[in-house]
Amino acid sequence: MRGAAGLAALAGLAWVARDVPAALGGRLSGARAERAARSPQFRDGTFHNQAGTRTMVAEPGRNLVRELIFGKQKRRPTTPVPLLRPGTTDAADAADELNIVWYGHASTLIEIEGRRVLLDPVWSDRCSPSPLVGPRRLHEPPVGIDELPPLDAILISHDHYDHLDMATVRALLAGQSAPFLVPLGVGAHLDRWGVPAERIIELDWSESHQVAGLEITATAAQHFSGRGLRRDGTLWSSWVVAGNRRKVFYTGDSGYFAGYAEIGAEHGPFDVTLMQIGAYDRAWPTIHMFPEEAVNAHLHLRGGLFVPVHWATFNLALHDWSEPVDRLWAEAKARDVRLAVPRPGERVVVDEPPAVDGWWQAIA
């Protein structure tokens, strides 16, 4: 009996782990690898930031593992995160339409001039190659992935699991017809997951692509990539989404760097910026922004409305669950920055944003 139970357990684990090798993604080869090698960002076999960065900075006397296990930070809300359903919208003037629907973490829908662009969609319960381990969602998606409206483009900022999820990609492959716009090399992952070549558009920094009347440009970011043991085999990027009259900037994941001023000068001003504010720590200061740095970046970008992303959904750092947005709100008020902090699923009309009401403080 014990032997049978052990075999059953092993079989169960094998069944659960069957998709892990595929979730790790693909490797650059052939024409894709040749194109990557021609990129100004690629040298010595990997992609690089404009300035030198370190993904971890040692701090004498600090033990991150001990802090993770025994730290006193409040890393989860005390009650459920309030979710809203955005419903449908009929813009009175599609030429001026600009709305943002934040679904949680970095997953965000841009409704711009009658078109829809989805950013970094992750609908899985965990941001991990395995359904058994890895950071788990602190709230459900406010809508099912099959309830998304027809999309015109799907943008991926980089290949980390909290931004690129195999199950979500496969669901969008089956339920949508929009192309995937990705940084150089990320198409190898999509290839492995069955996305046809005609739906994969890979861009280097400063390259643009026209889709559905929008100009979408990959711009610089300061981060890193990797889904397994290999680092920086694919590129990471921020994104500019420009219509005829409206314009949006999305950071992806990035540390604070001089490139924001350059992007603002070349592509700004922006009606709205979607800025990463969470998962920061002084142990990795150059690859994720602190909230105050995100406000600096927004100003350098010549942004109008600031909408924070990359917080509230996955516990990826040691700070309190609500700390990023508390710090952001204080800095935005001090520097007279227009701010909207939606609940997951809430539609923000950029020209008439809701007042910040501190909704997260009641559940912190």
Side-chain angles (χ1 to χ4, degrees), residues 35 49 52 109 122 124 140 304 331:
R35 185 181 175 197
N49 289 302
L109 180 70
V122 174
S124 289
E140 294 296 316
E331 187 72 5

Side-chain angles (χ1 to χ4, degrees), residues 304-328:
L305 182 67
F306 184 125
V307 176
V309 299
H310 206 271
W311 77 285
T313 305
F314 294 110
N315 190 346
L316 302 177
L318 302 175
H319 53 64
D320 286 355
W321 173 82
S322 61
E323 180 186 297
V325 74
D326 281 331
R327 290 174 59 169
L328 170 65

Side-chain angles (χ1 to χ4, degrees), residues 37-364:
R38 295 193 297 270
S39 168
Q41 281 60 252
F42 193 88
R43 61 182 182 275
D44 301 324
T46 61
F47 287 97
H48 293 261
N49 289 302
Q50 293 176 342
T53 58
R54 294 176 61 186
T55 55
M56 290 292 284
V57 177
E59 185 175 340
R62 189 182 185 199
N63 187 313
L64 291 175
V65 174
R66 184 184 300 116
E67 191 172 343
L68 176 66
I69 298 172
F70 300 109
K72 303 300 183 183
Q73 298 93 338
K74 297 178 180 178
R75 301 193 189 107
R76 303 180 63 88
T78 57
T79 59
V81 175
L83 307 179
L84 297 179
R85 296 182 62 83
T88 58
T89 181
D90 292 315
D93 184 358
D96 282 329
E97 179 187 27
L98 183 55
N99 309 318
I100 301 297
V101 181
W102 175 61
Y103 297 116
H105 199 58
S107 302
T108 307
L109 180 70
I110 301 170
E111 298 174 329
I112 178 171
E113 298 178 3
R115 306 300 185 185
R116 299 184 184 93
V117 178
L118 184 63
L119 308 178
D120 284 350
V122 174
W123 257 252
S124 289
D125 188 49
R126 295 183 187 272
C127 53
S128 166
S130 167
L132 295 180
V133 297
R136 194 170 188 175
R137 303 183 70 96
L138 301 178
H139 65 82
E140 294 296 316
V143 300
I145 196 164
D146 58 339
E147 299 177 281
L148 291 174
L151 303 171
D152 294 285
I154 303 162
L155 308 188
I156 305 297
S157 64
H158 63 297
D159 71 1
H160 286 158
Y161 292 101
D162 57 321
H163 295 257
L164 179 62
D165 175 64
M166 181 179 71
T168 302
V169 167
R170 286 177 168 173
L172 292 170
L173 174 62
Q176 299 278 349
S177 60
F180 292 83
L181 279 70
V182 302
L184 286 181
V186 175
H189 303 316
L190 304 186
D191 273 346
R192 185 169 186 184
W193 302 336
V195 179
E198 61 269 20
R199 286 185 65 178
I200 302 173
I201 298 157
E202 292 185 74
L203 299 176
D204 201 349
W205 293 348
S206 299
E207 291 183 341
S208 299
H209 182 79
Q210 298 279 340
V211 57
L214 303 173
E215 182 174 68
I216 299 176
T217 304
T219 43
Q222 184 168 282
H223 199 55
F224 68 109
S225 67
R227 297 177 71 83
L229 297 178
R230 187 177 184 228
R231 287 284 185 93
D232 302 335
T234 64
L235 188 58
W236 47 95
S237 73
S238 56
W239 290 99
V240 172
V241 179
N244 291 322
R245 302 176 64 176
R246 312 307 297 263
K247 196 175 292 185
V248 180
F249 177 79
Y250 167 51
T251 58
D253 276 5
S254 179
Y256 180 72
F257 73 123
Y260 288 121
E262 297 170 6
I263 294 167
E266 182 174 357
H267 298 283
F270 296 97
D271 297 283
V272 59
T273 65
L274 307 172
M275 308 294 291
Q276 169 258 309
I277 67 162
Y280 52 79
D281 194 277
R282 61 185 186 272
W284 50 88
T286 61
I287 57 171
H288 276 178
M289 284 187 287
F290 293 86
E292 297 81 5
E293 292 177 320
V295 172
N296 272 341
H298 169 85
L299 293 171
H300 287 311
L301 288 159
R302 298 193 289 159
L305 182 67
F306 184 125
V307 176
V309 299
H310 206 271
W311 77 285
T313 305
F314 294 110
N315 190 346
L316 302 177
L318 302 175
H319 53 64
D320 286 355
W321 173 82
S322 61
E323 180 186 297
V325 74
D326 281 331
R327 290 174 59 169
L328 170 65
W329 195 10
E331 187 72 5
K333 287 187 287 189
R335 305 186 68 177
D336 197 26
V337 167
R338 293 176 60 230
L339 177 66
V341 185
R343 295 156 177 80
E346 182 176 4
R347 175 178 282 109
V348 173
V349 179
V350 170
D351 293 334
E352 300 176 355
V356 181
D357 61 5
W359 60 264
W360 63 90
Q361 294 177 340
I363 61 173

